[in-house]
Amino acid sequence: HRAAGLDLTFERGALLLGHYHATRLTGTEKVMDRLLGGAMERSLDIGIYPVAIGSHQMFINTHSNTERGIFVPSPKAVIVAGLGDEGKLRAADLVQTVRQAVIAWAQRLAEGAGKGRRATVRTFELASTLLGSGGTGISPGEAARLVAEGVYQANVRITEENEERGSSSVGAPRVAQLRFVELYLDRATDAWRSLRLQQAARPGRYVVDDVVEEGTGALQRPLDLGYRGAEFDFISVAATTDPAGLPVISYTLDTRRARSEVRAQRAQSLLIKELVAAASNDLDHDDQI
């Protein structure tokens, strides 16, 4: 496992990223869509883009970025895994959606990337963003730990399937190296620390690099006070009570300017009940209601 600060357009292998439910592409997805000639946005527009947990879609890159001196399509492919609705992603959901996406890509490689020939490669390298950490509720460290767990579970399932088939057939390859790619050093360092703790907690399962590798285009930290991968703000609403026991509506704002800003507004529940009771009577013709 590696946690690196790097411009994604220089990544050579397949790149795994996540998609929260949204009507347009933003952040990393928007950048990758431009490299793929708009293939991802077209998929989103026609309603087949992965949204639900466990869903995924693979986009093979056939475009070379000659303006930047990259004559081989980079990344080789973009694998999009569905993350569901932002704010509702659970740890188990992230592990599951990563596992299914990795297994699907391994099967694609085993089929010769759709060219009708069996692959002889036994292992492959995979690059991944810190899935889910661009939204609310998932930190970079937690994202790295859960993605690593999803890849590990995919490897276990692939190995079991290959053993069931026996040596008579060429099975799907396993992930030999997982490379986390992050533009900002502080987020990459958070991911690296989490992976090192995971390595200590489960000896023999992971081998994590000793340092964070600095790649092309790496930045120290986001310019804004907080970090958000999407261009739009996310607002969550919850009904609670204040110390006096009165109902309160709490608004949590996750923005590019401030992280998890909370505002509370006292709910006028009695007035609302009276208005609903009056308005629901079809004999009442009060224009003010």
Side-chain angles (χ1 to χ4, degrees):
H1 297 76
R2 292 184 178 182
L6 186 67
D7 185 336
L8 292 172
T9 58
F10 286 89
E11 187 60 44
R12 297 290 185 180
L15 173 67
L16 176 65
L17 52 84
H19 173 74
Y20 281 118
H21 189 196
T23 56
R24 57 193 176 97
L25 301 178
T26 62
T28 304
E29 291 178 279
K30 189 174 182 180
V31 174
M32 293 296 101
D33 182 57
R34 287 199 297 265
L35 290 178
L36 297 173
M40 296 167 64
E41 185 175 8
R42 288 193 293 271
S43 178
L44 179 65
D45 290 341
I46 62 178
I48 61 173
Y49 203 72
V51 175
I53 299 298
S55 64
H56 48 264
Q57 189 171 358
M58 293 168 283
F59 298 89
I60 305 301
N61 188 8
T62 59
H63 300 77
S64 300
N65 196 347
T66 56
E67 295 179 357
R68 305 184 66 177
I70 304 175
F71 299 98
V72 177
S74 300
K76 177 181 179 181
V78 175
I79 309 165
V80 183
L83 301 178
D85 293 325
E86 184 177 346
K88 298 181 180 179
L89 180 64
R90 301 177 304 171
D93 294 335
L94 183 51
V95 172
Q96 176 191 350
T97 202
V98 168
R99 180 183 68 239
Q100 297 303 107
V102 172
I103 291 175
W105 178 244
Q107 291 177 335
R108 183 70 176 266
L109 292 176
E111 296 167 358
K115 295 181 180 179
R117 56 181 174 81
R118 300 297 294 180
T120 57
V121 62
R122 296 293 184 179
T123 62
F124 64 97
E125 296 182 5
L126 178 68
S128 175
T129 58
L130 297 173
L131 274 71
S133 65
T136 182
I138 301 291
S139 68
E142 184 179 14
R145 177 178 60 83
L146 296 175
V147 171
E149 177 64 23
V151 172
Y152 171 78
Q153 291 187 13
N155 275 345
V156 171
R157 185 67 189 94
I158 291 170
T159 300
E160 292 174 348
E161 180 66 19
N162 291 343
E163 291 176 351
E164 291 176 2
R165 292 188 176 188
S167 59
S168 58
S169 62
V170 179
R174 299 168 64 255
V175 179
Q177 183 184 73
L178 173 60
R179 175 183 173 87
F180 284 101
V181 187
E182 167 58 45
L183 183 60
Y184 299 107
L185 178 60
D186 59 349
R187 286 169 48 82
T189 303
D190 187 6
W192 176 79
R193 291 196 184 103
S194 179
L195 293 173
R196 295 283 285 187
L197 290 174
Q198 193 74 353
Q199 175 185 250
R202 299 190 174 184
R205 176 174 292 192
Y206 305 113
V207 177
V208 183
D209 279 4
D210 294 331
V211 297
V212 175
E213 174 189 346
E214 183 175 353
T216 306
L219 300 176
Q220 290 292 318
R221 61 185 62 85
L223 296 177
D224 298 315
L225 294 178
Y227 175 83
R228 181 167 175 76
E231 298 172 356
F232 52 84
D233 295 344
F234 179 77
I235 304 175
S236 58
V237 185
T240 59
T241 57
D242 63 10
L246 297 175
V248 172
I249 300 177
S250 296
Y251 298 88
T252 303
L253 288 76
D254 195 65
T255 74
R256 299 175 72 92
R257 296 167 297 281
R259 195 68 168 173
S260 299
E261 179 181 354
V262 180
R263 301 177 183 176
Q265 176 66 45
R266 178 169 296 177
Q268 296 176 299
S269 55
L270 295 178
L271 176 60
I272 292 174
K273 289 180 180 180
E274 292 177 2
L275 288 173
V276 170
S280 63
N281 188 341
D282 59 358
L283 299 179
D284 194 302
H285 301 287
D286 190 342
D287 293 337
Q288 291 183 343
I289 294 179

